[in-house]
Amino acid sequence: MPHATTPHAVRRLIVAAGASLAALGAFSAAPSAAHAVPSPALPPSPHGPDRSADGHHLGDHHLNVTVRDAGGDADGTYELDCHPSRGSHPDPAGACRALDRNTRWGSDAFAPVAGDAVCTMRYGGTATARVTGTWAGRPVDAAFDRSNGCEIDRWDRLVPFLPDASEGQGRGVNVLRR
């Protein structure tokens, strides 16, 4: 004869299962310090302590940016060093602040939009930029455009490192007139 289950017994079973899953999740959410793996150290520079081949201190932030079709005098190729701010960029201090604001440990300030991102179908114009160099001790080779909402947001996060090509500036927007 089958065993009849009361609603009270089912409720206790569900509560017990939920508590077990919550306890299991708490233990696996963060690894303990005993299991932490230290990051490998960078190899020493062959050019002496704290120096690169060109004599700059290691960790210097040196970038080249080429901007096209942004309109006005924003187009061109600029050089930028940060910490301290200097170079041929029109606003070195502002550009370095924008880059610092977008630099976070473990993430790439110049990373492309994720392949699975859902982006609005906004078109921000024909402006493009290519950034090469070194930032936060890592090589950079990134391309920027304003082809959709995600790319526009990615560009706008780095203004004034990249020129302001927003609609409010009247540049880079195609308007259909009837």
PDB file of all heavy atoms in Angstrom, residues 3-10:
ATOM      1  N   HIS A   3       2.480   4.900   0.637  1.00  0.00           N
ATOM      2  CA  HIS A   3       2.532   5.740   1.824  1.00  0.00           C
ATOM      3  C   HIS A   3       1.967   7.110   1.494  1.00  0.00           C
ATOM      4  O   HIS A   3       2.405   7.761   0.560  1.00  0.00           O
ATOM      5  CB  HIS A   3       3.988   5.861   2.292  1.00  0.00           C
ATOM      6  CG  HIS A   3       4.142   6.575   3.586  1.00  0.00           C
ATOM      7  ND1 HIS A   3       4.062   7.933   3.681  1.00  0.00           N
ATOM      8  CD2 HIS A   3       4.366   6.118   4.841  1.00  0.00           C
ATOM      9  CE1 HIS A   3       4.233   8.291   4.937  1.00  0.00           C
ATOM     10  NE2 HIS A   3       4.431   7.195   5.662  1.00  0.00           N
ATOM     11  N   ALA A   4       1.004   7.588   2.225  1.00  0.00           N
ATOM     12  CA  ALA A   4       0.404   8.905   2.000  1.00  0.00           C
ATOM     13  C   ALA A   4       1.316   9.979   2.591  1.00  0.00           C
ATOM     14  O   ALA A   4       1.802   9.829   3.705  1.00  0.00           O
ATOM     15  CB  ALA A   4      -0.979   8.966   2.634  1.00  0.00           C
ATOM     16  N   THR A   5       1.527  11.049   1.849  1.00  0.00           N
ATOM     17  CA  THR A   5       2.386  12.139   2.306  1.00  0.00           C
ATOM     18  C   THR A   5       1.503  13.322   2.667  1.00  0.00           C
ATOM     19  O   THR A   5       0.678  13.764   1.876  1.00  0.00           O
ATOM     20  CB  THR A   5       3.357  12.546   1.202  1.00  0.00           C
ATOM     21  OG1 THR A   5       4.039  11.388   0.729  1.00  0.00           O
ATOM     22  CG2 THR A   5       4.363  13.550   1.710  1.00  0.00           C
ATOM     23  N   THR A   6       1.727  13.852   3.852  1.00  0.00           N
ATOM     24  CA  THR A   6       0.934  14.991   4.303  1.00  0.00           C
ATOM     25  C   THR A   6       1.573  16.286   3.795  1.00  0.00           C
ATOM     26  O   THR A   6       2.780  16.338   3.537  1.00  0.00           O
ATOM     27  CB  THR A   6       0.860  15.040   5.843  1.00  0.00           C
ATOM     28  OG1 THR A   6       2.178  15.273   6.332  1.00  0.00           O
ATOM     29  CG2 THR A   6       0.304  13.747   6.406  1.00  0.00           C
ATOM     30  N   PRO A   7       0.765  17.340   3.667  1.00  0.00           N
ATOM     31  CA  PRO A   7       1.331  18.626   3.234  1.00  0.00           C
ATOM     32  C   PRO A   7       2.417  19.129   4.188  1.00  0.00           C
ATOM     33  O   PRO A   7       3.384  19.750   3.758  1.00  0.00           O
ATOM     34  CB  PRO A   7       0.129  19.573   3.219  1.00  0.00           C
ATOM     35  CG  PRO A   7      -1.062  18.692   3.083  1.00  0.00           C
ATOM     36  CD  PRO A   7      -0.698  17.404   3.758  1.00  0.00           C
ATOM     37  N   HIS A   8       2.268  18.835   5.472  1.00  0.00           N
ATOM     38  CA  HIS A   8       3.260  19.265   6.452  1.00  0.00           C
ATOM     39  C   HIS A   8       4.610  18.571   6.199  1.00  0.00           C
ATOM     40  O   HIS A   8       5.667  19.196   6.264  1.00  0.00           O
ATOM     41  CB  HIS A   8       2.752  18.979   7.862  1.00  0.00           C
ATOM     42  CG  HIS A   8       3.680  19.433   8.941  1.00  0.00           C
ATOM     43  ND1 HIS A   8       3.949  20.762   9.163  1.00  0.00           N
ATOM     44  CD2 HIS A   8       4.413  18.734   9.841  1.00  0.00           C
ATOM     45  CE1 HIS A   8       4.811  20.860  10.161  1.00  0.00           C
ATOM     46  NE2 HIS A   8       5.103  19.641  10.598  1.00  0.00           N
ATOM     47  N   ALA A   9       4.597  17.295   5.865  1.00  0.00           N
ATOM     48  CA  ALA A   9       5.825  16.548   5.592  1.00  0.00           C
ATOM     49  C   ALA A   9       6.491  17.057   4.317  1.00  0.00           C
ATOM     50  O   ALA A   9       7.721  17.174   4.248  1.00  0.00           O
ATOM     51  CB  ALA A   9       5.514  15.060   5.477  1.00  0.00           C
ATOM     52  N   VAL A  10       5.701  17.375   3.302  1.00  0.00           N
ATOM     53  CA  VAL A  10       6.255  17.899   2.056  1.00  0.00           C
ATOM     54  C   VAL A  10       6.914  19.251   2.313  1.00  0.00           C
ATOM     55  O   VAL A  10       8.002  19.534   1.825  1.00  0.00           O
ATOM     56  CB  VAL A  10       5.150  18.014   0.978  1.00  0.00           C
ATOM     57  CG1 VAL A  10       5.654  18.771  -0.238  1.00  0.00           C
ATOM     58  CG2 VAL A  10       4.647  16.641   0.581  1.00  0.00           C
TER      59      VAL A  10
END
